[in-house]
């Protein structure tokens, strides 16, 4: 048996390191440590002992956890990373190793070290190993070998002063081998520490599959971690977990199926929904989808307990959508919204600015499009480019990145800072436009009246709406100059 510390390390309070775009969010959303939790479940299934700690969610600094970590005395220390926090995370790993007289194996995981393996090793001698990409089985094999990395697929490691890159690990095919991540949450975390602004809370986040067949040029997880082939769990395994949540976590009011694209295989989605209905599982859930979702599948999802669809509309300009390989059209988005309303499903719409081909005119078209579609809630983000993505390569090649350090990917408070200039638009222009777009969307009398009526007619929406609204209002009138 090997003891492992899996740490979502301190950086900023309520920092969502597992987000597709890590930051402290304006809506107050705080993600679960999704991938550390999945790895925890598999490691425990293999017979290893794991201490999973989520400092940004729980609060405090690293010193507050010292007594507990030292008493646990891990053999392997695994620290999750992200682009904005990489330097802080590496320093955290060095501090942790310094707490022990005997040698500990220090491991980094996450998108940033996966994309920039050798550059990351150069940051500190405290880094012994990087587990690249999808790391659940990689960590399990490393633990099985007592921390010896030689021959473990998916690892890069130091040997005699140089970095050795073991062969890549093929994507996992049997995702049913992973224990329910919701059971890991129940054992190791405090569910009320987490909040998703578009969901009813308390909420748990699960995955039905990994990978996405689409090739949007900005999206980091398919390009760096999980690949472009959608691999999903079996229908029975997904519905078994929903039933587990209903039975063992009765305080949970919603489940977020957080696949990059849960509806990549619409036949699979339909089977999951039919099985939920057949078994009588009464869990409310939300899913990440694309605008090619068919109306008949929407209706099945609604009948199976789906409340809300999270859709990436991104832009109201077809030229921009084409330039970013979105493989979607403005007309598909319009039809999607009509169908969602007809099916009785809410929609959270995601929009972004600063992509290839962006101008002030296309940004304004996106805002008009968001107002025309009028989803239940929206988010507007500036383009955030992460190493390993086509967007990062494009921005680097064209010398559009203005940041001098990884920390500049965020503001001092941890909000998205944007580090890309495009055309005559500066990073501050892009961030300010997103704030302007939020004000235009959320401060409309029509919208405010609709939300007031929504809260009156659906009292269960009050807590979510109030908490997200209070957090959002603090940022609506700030300018980033």
């Amino acid at each position: 048996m090997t003891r492992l510390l899996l740490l979502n390390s301190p950086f900023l309070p309520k920092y969502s390191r597992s987000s597709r775009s890590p930051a402290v969010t304006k809506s107050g959303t705080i993600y679960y440590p999704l991938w550390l939790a999945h790895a925890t479940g598999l490691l425990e299934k293999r017979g290893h002992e794991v201490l999973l700690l989520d400092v940004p969610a729980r609060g405090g600094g690293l010193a507050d956890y010292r007594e507990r970590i030292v008493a646990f005395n891990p053999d392997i220390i695994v620290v999750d990373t992200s682009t904005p926090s990489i330097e802080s995370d590496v320093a955290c790993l060095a501090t942790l190793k310094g707490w022990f007289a005997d040698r500990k194996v220090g491991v980094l995981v996450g998108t940033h070290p996966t994309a920039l393996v050798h550059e990351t090793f150069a940051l500190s001698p405290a880094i012994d190993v990087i587990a690249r990409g999808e790391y659940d089985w990689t960590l399990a094999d490393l633990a099985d070998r007592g921390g010896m990395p030689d021959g473990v697929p998916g690892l890069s490691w130091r040997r005699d002063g140089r970095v050795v890159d073991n062969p890549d690990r093929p994507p996992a095919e049997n995702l049913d081998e992973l224990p329910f991540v919701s059971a890991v949450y129940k054992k190791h975390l405090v569910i009320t520490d987490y909040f998703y602004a578009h969901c009813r809370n308390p909420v748990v986040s699960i995955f039905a599959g990994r990978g996405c067949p689409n090739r949007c040029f900005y999206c980091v997880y398919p390009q760096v971690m999980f690949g472009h082939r959608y691999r999903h769990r079996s229908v029975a395994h997904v519905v078994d977990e929903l039933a587990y949540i209903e039975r063992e976590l009765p305080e949970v009011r919603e489940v977020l199926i957080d696949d990059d694209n849960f509806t990549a295989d619409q036949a699979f989605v339909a089977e999951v929904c039919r099985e939920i209905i057949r078994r009588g599982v009464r869990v409310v859930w939300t899913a990440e989808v694309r605008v090619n979702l068919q109306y008949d599948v929407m209706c099945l999802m609604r009948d199976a307990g789906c409340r809300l669809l999270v859709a990436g509309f991104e832009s109201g300009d077809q030229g921009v959508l084409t330039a970013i390989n979105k493989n979607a059209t403005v007309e598909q988005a319009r039809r999607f919204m009509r169908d969602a309303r007809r099916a009785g499903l809410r929609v959270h719409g995601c929009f972004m600015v600063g992509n290839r081909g962006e101008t002030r005119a296309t940004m304004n078209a996106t805002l008009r499009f968001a107002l025309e579609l009028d989803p239940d809630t929206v988010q507007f983000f500036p383009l955030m480019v992460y190493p390993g993505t086509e967007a990062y390569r494009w921005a680097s090649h064209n010398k559009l990145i203005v940041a001098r350090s990884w920390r500049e990917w965020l503001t001092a408070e941890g909000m998205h800072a944007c580090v890309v200039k495009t055309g005559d638009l500066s990073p501050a222009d892009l961030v300010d436009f997103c704030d302007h777009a939020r004000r235009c969307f959320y401060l409309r009398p029509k919208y405010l009246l609709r939300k007031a009526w929504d809260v009156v007619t659906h009292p269960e929406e009050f807590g979510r709406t109030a908490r997200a609204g209070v957090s959002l209002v603090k940022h609506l009138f700030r300018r980033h100059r």
Side-chain angles (χ1 to χ4, degrees), residues 433-447:
F433 181 84
C434 290
D435 290 340
H436 165 70
R438 288 187 198 93
R439 289 192 294 271
C440 289
F441 188 91
Y442 283 116
L443 298 182
R444 293 172 293 155
K446 171 187 172 183
Y447 183 82

Side-chain angles (χ1 to χ4, degrees), residues 286-307:
T286 281
E288 310 270 349
V289 305
R290 279 179 70 86
V291 297
N292 65 346
L293 180 58
Q294 298 300 308
Y295 174 71
D296 60 337
V297 181
M298 287 185 185
C299 292
L300 269 174
M301 294 170 73
R302 174 203 62 208
D303 293 345
C306 182
R307 182 186 68 89

Side-chain angles (χ1 to χ4, degrees), residues 226-377:
F226 302 120
H228 288 292
R229 185 168 58 85
Y230 183 58
R231 299 158 285 129
H232 57 71
R233 298 155 60 185
S234 68
V235 170
H237 199 254
V238 173
V239 181
D240 284 347
E241 180 160 21
L242 294 175
Y244 169 87
I245 293 167
E246 182 180 39
R247 182 179 67 253
E248 300 295 333
L249 296 166
E251 70 274 26
V252 168
R253 300 182 63 211
E254 188 154 319
V255 175
L256 173 61
I257 302 178
D258 205 14
D259 300 27
D260 287 313
N261 179 11
F262 176 55
T263 56
D265 182 344
Q266 296 192 41
F268 165 68
V269 173
E271 288 183 46
V272 168
C273 292
R274 292 188 187 101
E275 183 65 8
I276 291 172
I277 295 166
R278 187 189 71 80
R279 292 201 206 175
V281 176
R282 298 186 179 279
V283 171
V284 175
W285 51 280
T286 281
E288 310 270 349
V289 305
R290 279 179 70 86
V291 297
N292 65 346
L293 180 58
Q294 298 300 308
Y295 174 71
D296 60 337
V297 181
M298 287 185 185
C299 292
L300 269 174
M301 294 170 73
R302 174 203 62 208
D303 293 345
C306 182
R307 182 186 68 89
L308 180 139
L309 308 174
V310 181
F313 299 114
E314 318 309 357
S315 177
D317 182 87
Q318 188 59 52
V320 171
L321 292 176
T322 301
I324 63 176
N325 308 326
K326 185 63 183 177
N327 193 28
T329 68
V330 171
E331 284 309 312
Q332 277 183 313
R334 289 190 172 106
R335 185 181 68 240
F336 170 88
M337 279 302 306
R338 289 194 299 268
D339 286 347
R341 288 193 183 96
R342 194 155 55 111
L345 291 170
R346 296 172 184 261
V347 174
H348 175 73
C350 305
F351 299 89
M352 61 191 305
V353 297
N355 285 301
R356 281 190 295 214
E358 194 80 86
T359 65
R360 293 183 188 276
T362 60
M363 291 197 306
N364 286 323
T366 294
L367 176 53
R368 290 194 300 271
F369 191 53
L371 295 172
E372 172 196 336
L373 296 179
D374 200 21
D376 186 69
T377 51

Side-chain angles (χ1 to χ4, degrees), residues 14-15 86 202 379 421:
K14 306 300 181 184
Y15 178 65
I86 181 63
Q379 62 188 45
K421 60 181 180 181

Side-chain angles (χ1 to χ4, degrees), residues 93 214 296:
L93 178 61
N214 298 286
D296 60 337

